[in-house]
């Protein structure tokens, strides 16, 4: 099988092994089983909605990437976004010098950057599937949808289904979801085909405008909107401002009052600009493993 390779250089601290360890414990993306050295996944590229297999390994100063078809600028940018390597992270460490609580998390997981969904479209689908469900059950349903409607890609000698592109779910039924969720997924598919659920569109907007636009989509509430923007589009400096689980983590870490209003958390996050998403990710990752996905 012919593969095509390229490298991505990190600007600022980056630890590929830390990203790989995080992904191994994160069921939302359906990555291939890891051998502890390589990150392997198949997805439908946002740039053309065609399936592609990707293998990522650590390299001096960044990562080495092998793909199952030629990777133009669009796909290269997508892989960089998935690993948050499309952002200069040199200034992130300095935030920890001014904020001892954040600094402690940075020292505990040096070089860990947000690991994103393969696309905002896939993040949006996950947000609907996981609502009022456990991550384990949701990941099984998501995998079944990929098995039934996704194209198979040979990655590292193993055939693996990519989560289907929007057009494949427009008329799909029998997804193993309640009728309301299936209708929401069809609505999200239409939004993706209209260009709303794309990294380019979402990151071109002010974060608050992007969150508002996402909340107008079917089945997307405040939590889901933040998930799509931050962990789907990889926006580095967004703070959803309405996420109970994150608020609970921050409340304990900073000793905030139990009845602290959302504005108190937004004020706290102001000190993390222009990396509010990255800082929030570290706090979530510090207590990862609880049920997620309730709007």
């Amino acid at each position: 099988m012919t593969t095509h390779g390229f490298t991505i250089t990190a600007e600022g601290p980056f630890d590929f092994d830390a990203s790989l360890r995080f992904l191994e414990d994160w069921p939302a993306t359906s990555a291939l089983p890891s051998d502890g050295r390589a990150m392997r996944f198949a997805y439908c590229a946002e740039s053309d909605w065609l399936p592609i297999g990707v293998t990522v390994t650590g390299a001096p100063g960044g990562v080495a990437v092998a793909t199952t078809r030629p990777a133009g600028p669009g796909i290269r940018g997508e892989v960089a976004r998935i690993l948050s390597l499309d952002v200069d992270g040199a200034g992130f460490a300095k935030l920890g010098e001014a904020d001892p609580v954040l600094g402690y998390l940075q020292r505990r997981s040096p070089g860990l950057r947000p690991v994103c969904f393969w696309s905002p479209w896939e993040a949006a689908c996950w947000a609907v599937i996981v609502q009022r469900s456990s991550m384990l059950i949701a990941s099984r349903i998501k995998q079944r949808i990929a098995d039934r409607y996704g194209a198979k890609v040979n990655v590292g000698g193993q055939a693996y289904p990519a989560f289907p592109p929007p057009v494949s779910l427009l008329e799909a039924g029998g997804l193993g979801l309640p009728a309301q969720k299936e209708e929401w997924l069809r609505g999200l598919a239409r939004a993706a085909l209209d260009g709303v659920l794309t990294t380019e569109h979402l990151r071109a907007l002010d974060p608050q405008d992007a969150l508002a636009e996402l909340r107008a989509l079917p089945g997307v509430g405040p939590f889901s909107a933040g998930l799509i923007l931050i962990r789907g589009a990889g926006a580095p400096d967004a703070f959803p401002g309405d996420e109970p689980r994150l608020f609970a983590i921050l409340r304990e870490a900073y000793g905030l009052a139990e009845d602290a209003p959302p504005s108190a958390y937004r004020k706290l996050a102001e000190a993390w600009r222009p990396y509010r998403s990255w800082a929030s990710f570290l706090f979530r990752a510090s207590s990862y493993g609880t049920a997620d996905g309730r709007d």
Side-chain angles (χ1 to χ4, degrees):
M1 180 183 65
T2 301
T3 58
H4 309 267
F6 60 94
T7 60
I8 303 174
T9 300
E11 297 183 79
F14 171 69
D15 184 349
F16 172 72
D17 289 337
S19 297
L20 184 58
R21 288 193 298 271
F22 176 85
L23 189 65
E24 289 172 343
D25 294 329
W26 189 38
T29 57
S30 303
L32 276 72
S34 170
D35 58 5
R37 297 187 301 273
M39 181 185 297
R40 299 183 179 90
F41 54 94
Y43 76 110
C44 286
E46 187 180 2
S47 54
D48 56 15
W49 296 123
L50 297 177
I52 185 171
V54 180
T55 300
V56 185
T57 53
V63 296
V65 183
T67 57
T68 55
R69 60 185 175 93
I75 290 174
R76 290 171 183 247
E78 290 172 17
V79 176
R81 170 192 52 78
I82 289 167
L83 294 170
S84 293
L85 290 174
D86 58 341
V87 176
D88 186 343
F92 186 50
K94 296 180 181 178
L95 296 182
E97 297 173 6
D99 184 335
V101 178
L102 178 60
Y104 168 74
L105 295 182
Q106 290 176 327
R107 290 190 299 274
R108 196 169 75 170
S109 302
L112 175 61
R113 298 188 182 197
V115 180
C116 298
F117 285 85
W118 312 147
S119 68
W121 152 248
E122 196 163 336
C125 290
W126 170 260
V128 164
I129 294 169
V130 79
Q131 282 184 38
R132 297 174 180 83
S133 177
S134 72
M135 293 185 74
L136 180 59
I137 292 174
S139 66
R140 290 172 178 168
I141 293 173
K142 181 170 176 282
Q143 187 63 51
R144 285 202 299 269
I145 293 173
D147 289 338
R148 181 171 181 180
Y149 294 101
K152 297 294 193 298
V153 184
N154 190 308
V155 186
Q158 177 182 352
Y160 193 78
F163 190 78
V167 68
S168 297
L169 293 190
L170 272 180
E171 304 298 332
L175 301 179
L177 292 166
Q180 178 67 82
K181 285 191 176 184
E182 293 196 5
E183 182 57 35
W184 286 343
L185 288 184
R186 286 189 284 272
L188 292 176
R190 288 188 285 271
L193 293 173
D194 287 341
V196 175
L197 284 173
T198 66
T199 299
E200 181 179 9
H201 174 71
L202 292 173
R203 286 177 61 166
L205 299 174
D206 176 85
Q208 290 307 311
D209 292 338
L211 290 169
E213 188 170 299
L214 288 167
R215 286 195 297 270
L217 296 178
V220 177
F223 172 83
S224 298
L227 178 78
I228 297 166
L229 179 62
I230 296 171
R231 300 292 295 286
D237 189 38
F239 188 74
D242 188 6
E243 189 178 327
R245 177 171 168 250
L246 175 61
F247 285 4
I249 296 169
L250 296 177
R251 192 162 54 242
E252 180 178 354
Y254 287 92
L256 300 179
E258 186 72 27
D259 59 351
S263 59
Y265 301 97
R266 289 194 293 268
K267 182 178 179 180
L268 182 69
E270 283 296 308
W272 303 335
R273 287 181 179 269
Y275 300 100
R276 287 177 295 170
S277 300
W278 287 27
S280 298
F281 171 80
L282 280 189
F283 280 102
R284 293 189 195 93
S286 70
S287 62
Y288 204 79
T290 58
D292 212 345
R294 294 174 177 81
D295 265 320

